[in-house]
Amino acid sequence: MGLQWKPQNRFGFPKMIEQTLEDKILDGFVHAFNESGPSFTLSEIASYLHISKKTIYTIFESKTDIYETLLRKTMKEIHDAQKKVFEDPNLNTREKLLKILTIILIRQMVM
């Protein structure tokens, strides 16, 4: 029995633009993790995406590499959003702190 899901994107929103193969694999990986925990296999993701497991390995060295890529991308997204808030001259310190904390909470809920 394979995974019974249709990955949209990491955030659960409909796809609006063409994704790279890397992004498709990452989105499938996040969805599989959310559905099954860490017990899913790359073979299940490959099967669902209609690609071979070898194709996944041309982009990522291992399942750990995919985890690390997701962590790096997520950290960058959070950092970029926080930097934008921090540099906003229209916000006072209290407003900046609340917005930055909200960014962290929203990211936790999305993942």
Side-chain angles (χ1 to χ4, degrees):
M1 178 181 204
L3 294 172
Q4 303 296 314
W5 45 265
K6 284 193 167 206
Q8 294 175 357
N9 64 34
R10 281 181 290 250
F11 309 108
F13 301 122
K15 294 177 189 170
M16 300 301 281
I17 57 173
E18 186 62 32
Q19 291 182 294
T20 64
L21 181 57
E22 177 179 318
D23 286 336
K24 288 178 183 178
I25 293 168
L26 291 172
D27 291 342
F29 191 90
V30 168
H31 191 85
F33 185 86
N34 288 340
E35 291 291 313
S36 307
S39 63
F40 67 92
T41 66
L42 293 183
S43 293
E44 290 173 306
I45 292 173
S47 175
Y48 182 77
L49 294 174
H50 305 288
I51 60 175
S52 71
K53 198 162 87 170
K54 285 183 181 182
T55 301
I56 293 175
Y57 284 114
T58 64
I59 297 172
F60 299 103
E61 292 180 12
S62 64
K63 199 172 178 180
T64 299
D65 187 28
I66 299 173
Y67 279 119
E68 290 172 355
T69 299
L70 281 168
L71 286 171
R72 278 192 301 277
K73 284 184 173 226
T74 301
M75 288 179 356
K76 182 180 180 337
E77 290 169 5
I78 290 170
H79 180 264
D80 291 348
Q82 289 174 329
K83 184 177 178 185
K84 184 177 175 182
V85 169
F86 184 76
E87 293 173 350
D88 187 340
N90 299 315
L91 299 174
N92 64 37
T93 303
R94 182 178 183 277
E95 292 169 326
K96 288 179 183 184
L97 180 60
L98 288 173
K99 283 189 174 273
I100 288 172
L101 292 174
T102 302
I103 291 167
I104 294 168
L105 290 173
I106 289 172
R107 285 296 295 161
Q108 287 176 346
M109 290 184 335
V110 170
M111 297 303 280

